[in-house]
Amino acid sequence: MAAFASALGILPSPPASAYPQQRRLRSVKREQMQGCRSRRCSKVVSYYGLITPPYKLDALEPYMSKRTVELHWGKHHQNYVDGLNKQLATSMFYGYTLEELIKEGYNNGNPLPEYNNAAQVWNHHFFWESMQPESGGSPEGGVLQQIEKDFGSFTNFREEFICSALSLLGSGWVWLVLKREERKLSVVCTRNAISPLALGDIPIMNLDLWEHAYYLDYKDDRRMYVTNFIDHLVSWHTVTLRMMRGEAFVNLGEPNIPVA
Amino acid sequence: MALRTLISGKTLAAAALGGARTLAAARGVATVALPDLPYDYGALEPAISGEIMRLHHQKHHAAYVANYNKALEQLDAAVTKGDATTVVQLQSAIKFNGGGHINHSIFWKNLKPISEGGGESPHQKLGWAIDEDFGSFEALLKKMNAEGAALQGSGWVWLALDKEAKKLSVETTANQDPLVTKGVNLVPLLGIDVWEHAYYLQYKNVRPDYLSNIWKVINWKYAGEVYENAVA
């Protein structure tokens, strides 16, 4: 009765404690995990590992040098993984999936200590897979159609992507995301390690704009770096796969089936 | 001194900007100019490489100066027209580029070649104040290194003086925010740039190495002068 009344807006919505079942499930899961851990003699612990990019480290030359990829993946990305694992040893987030960790750790704009490492691990993994040797150019089929629908033309999208990337002040990322509410593709910039996952959207492709991503190859010339990425490195194949998955969660309307 | 300036060519960027500046000044907008470095680009080796110093000064700082001047002119036009939307929109560009100019201008004065006294520990008033507020000089260095290394993303780590409370503290600011954004009474004695462009070519991802090495070229004499003027 109270729930019905609150749905009509008559009463204020009940506090979280009114839904004990959800919270109980969460804490049971944690208790079970902790219980398991104390029952066994040999503790089984699981932490995050570093996934190798789906291409050789020199495959992105000449647009991203082997040296940059070696450092960026082998040192920066590795450090985020190691840092996260170190934090998880004593954190309540142990056992969470990376996506859960990012969403909870973001804490509505007041990120918890584990957030930065977790988000950067995810962001960089997403980044390596957003690229492909000898790629770039423009997409085809459904992705191109959606881009033309949401940006007007591929050229418009490309301009907006480059402009957005150059307008970011400081460190961060530029993303092509599928917005859940607006049900369209959009270019967004995020500062430092902020992830669109934490903001509720579906990431489709990203580009690292932290200086370590391009300084060795391009020095201060961010424009050249972004242009080379969008023209030669972005993997539209991966974008298509991610769009397909995204469409399972966001209704982009009826498909255009040609009539015979 | 003038001959050395010509040979090292570090004023080239400043000369190029000088032309644009006088034009804007004629319209009444007080623009800024890229300051000269009081030493050669290679003079801070091996702590900071000449390549980094050259890029940092001629590309990064020069870009902040150019963009700040551009934003100032746009602001002037918007204020005159009464275009409040544009005035507000320009604030982030002014804060970023203006802050970048302010911070880097302080930074160049905070550095000094080893041969000219860089790295010599602070004496007298500043030295005593450091001992009083941090326990020891080593403790201050340790604190600044720790805070600088822990800073996520881009920013600065500062040795700040609260001129009202007459107390020293270590502060960090994000991106190009000047120290004053952390407290209106804070005076920057020393600032260390921990943006990746400040060290990446030489130290790669090892920011702690950059921080421990930069103390060899820190100009404590300048910091001491700023301190004594502020507490006087």
Side-chain angles (χ1 to χ4, degrees):
Chain A
M1 187 61 200
F4 181 69
S6 74
L8 289 176
I10 299 169
L11 289 179
S13 43
S17 55
Y19 303 108
Q21 211 176 22
Q22 227 175 3
R23 285 177 72 232
R24 220 190 298 135
L25 279 171
R26 263 267 163 76
S27 55
V28 159
K29 177 181 170 191
R30 212 171 300 146
E31 272 172 30
Q32 276 178 347
M33 280 163 37
Q34 285 165 352
C36 284
R37 282 193 283 179
S38 60
R39 268 203 298 272
R40 292 182 194 166
C41 315
S42 57
K43 227 158 77 160
V44 176
V45 292
S46 72
Y47 291 106
Y48 288 104
L50 182 64
I51 300 182
T52 322
Y55 36 76
K56 287 217 213 117
L57 299 189
D58 62 354
L60 300 177
E61 301 244 9
Y63 308 108
M64 194 177 283
S65 68
K66 180 182 180 202
R67 189 96 182 88
T68 296
V69 181
E70 271 175 348
L71 265 170
H72 198 175
W73 172 72
K75 292 273 149 80
H76 290 271
H77 196 178
Q78 179 75 67
N79 283 346
Y80 286 126
V81 172
D82 294 340
L84 176 63
N85 286 337
K86 206 164 146 201
Q87 282 175 316
L88 286 179
T90 50
S91 161
M92 71 170 212
F93 286 118
Y94 175 83
Y96 277 48
T97 67
L98 207 49
E99 291 199 9
E100 279 175 356
L101 217 175
I102 291 172
K103 286 178 189 158
E104 301 258 329
Y106 182 63
N107 199 22
N108 278 318
N110 238 332
L112 301 170
E114 296 88 346
Y115 175 80
N116 192 64
N117 282 327
Q120 286 293 73
V121 170
W122 195 96
N123 294 343
H124 280 90
H125 175 56
F126 196 77
F127 178 48
W128 301 126
E129 303 208 330
S130 295
M131 292 191 289
Q132 198 183 332
E134 289 158 31
S135 187
S138 68
E140 292 166 348
V143 172
L144 183 61
Q145 268 178 27
Q146 191 66 39
I147 285 182
E148 285 174 347
K149 181 161 170 249
D150 295 330
F151 294 95
S153 70
F154 178 73
T155 316
N156 284 356
F157 155 73
R158 185 181 170 278
E159 282 307 308
E160 196 180 316
F161 188 83
I162 296 175
C163 251
S164 241
L166 294 177
S167 69
L168 176 75
L169 304 174
S171 306
W173 299 76
V174 61
W175 304 79
L176 175 63
V177 297
L178 184 57
K179 293 235 168 211
R180 272 185 216 262
E181 298 289 311
E182 292 136 67
R183 290 193 258 155
K184 64 195 286 253
L185 287 174
S186 187
V187 170
V188 300
C189 275
T190 56
R191 287 189 52 230
N192 290 358
I194 312 243
S195 165
L197 279 183
L199 305 171
D201 293 324
I202 301 176
I204 299 293
M205 168 267 273
N206 72 351
L207 173 60
D208 192 350
L209 293 175
W210 285 58
E211 283 175 326
H212 63 238
Y214 61 91
Y215 213 77
L216 290 181
D217 296 335
Y218 298 94
K219 308 290 185 303
D220 65 308
D221 196 351
R222 196 189 262 187
R223 176 179 280 275
M224 191 89 263
Y225 165 64
V226 180
T227 312
N228 277 341
F229 169 80
I230 198 79
D231 288 341
H232 301 285
L233 288 178
V234 64
S235 169
W236 291 115
H237 169 73
T238 310
V239 165
T240 308
L241 291 174
R242 289 170 179 164
M243 275 291 289
M244 283 166 61
R245 189 176 174 276
E247 284 186 71
F249 299 92
V250 178
N251 185 356
L252 290 175
E254 292 297 316
N256 250 341
I257 301 173
V259 178
Chain B
M1 183 68 196
L3 197 60
R4 223 176 74 192
T5 306
L6 280 170
I7 291 170
S8 64
K10 60 185 176 282
T11 52
L12 280 176
L17 286 164
R21 195 182 172 210
T22 44
L23 201 63
R27 285 203 293 274
V29 180
T31 50
V32 299
L34 184 68
D36 290 340
L37 293 191
Y39 36 77
D40 289 335
Y41 289 132
L44 300 178
E45 303 232 9
I48 308 180
S49 72
E51 195 191 3
I52 289 183
M53 289 305 294
R54 186 181 53 82
L55 277 165
H56 208 171
H57 183 244
Q58 279 181 6
K59 292 281 159 80
H60 292 273
H61 192 174
Y64 293 132
V65 167
N67 290 332
Y68 178 58
N69 288 338
K70 195 169 104 191
L72 276 186
E73 288 183 32
Q74 289 173 329
L75 179 69
D76 188 56
V79 168
T80 316
K81 270 196 293 186
D83 183 354
T85 316
T86 309
V87 168
V88 172
Q89 219 175 357
L90 286 168
Q91 295 311 308
S92 61
I94 290 176
K95 185 179 181 190
F96 182 74
N97 292 299
H101 169 62
I102 294 169
N103 294 342
H104 286 87
S105 302
I106 298 171
F107 189 47
W108 307 137
K109 293 191 225 165
N110 285 154
L111 303 170
K112 210 160 178 66
I114 300 174
S115 58
E116 291 175 37
E120 274 176 22
S121 352
H123 300 300
Q124 298 180 318
K125 282 200 181 161
L126 180 57
W128 302 328
I130 287 175
D131 286 340
E132 200 183 307
D133 290 330
F134 296 101
S136 70
F137 179 59
E138 286 72 33
L140 166 64
L141 260 50
K142 200 162 162 213
K143 183 151 202 239
M144 282 192 81
N145 288 344
E147 301 231 356
L151 194 147
Q152 287 166 10
S154 309
W156 291 74
V157 60
W158 304 93
L159 172 60
L161 164 69
D162 184 328
K163 60 178 191 259
E164 288 300 307
K166 306 261 197 300
K167 222 167 144 32
L168 296 173
S169 61
V170 172
E171 305 282 343
T172 55
T173 54
N175 294 340
Q176 293 297 354
D177 295 353
L179 180 62
V180 70
T181 56
K182 272 286 174 90
V184 288
N185 291 320
L186 293 178
V187 174
L189 301 179
L190 273 188
I192 300 181
D193 191 351
V194 289
W195 278 64
E196 283 169 330
H197 65 235
Y199 61 88
Y200 206 75
L201 292 177
Q202 188 178 353
Y203 294 97
K204 309 295 185 298
N205 66 308
V206 196
R207 196 193 275 178
D209 278 359
Y210 159 68
L211 287 168
S212 54
N213 276 307
I214 200 173
W215 296 110
K216 299 181 188 148
V217 288
I218 288 288
N219 186 358
W220 283 107
K221 192 152 164 274
Y222 170 74
E225 282 164 14
V226 176
Y227 178 78
E228 291 185 23
N229 285 337
V231 294

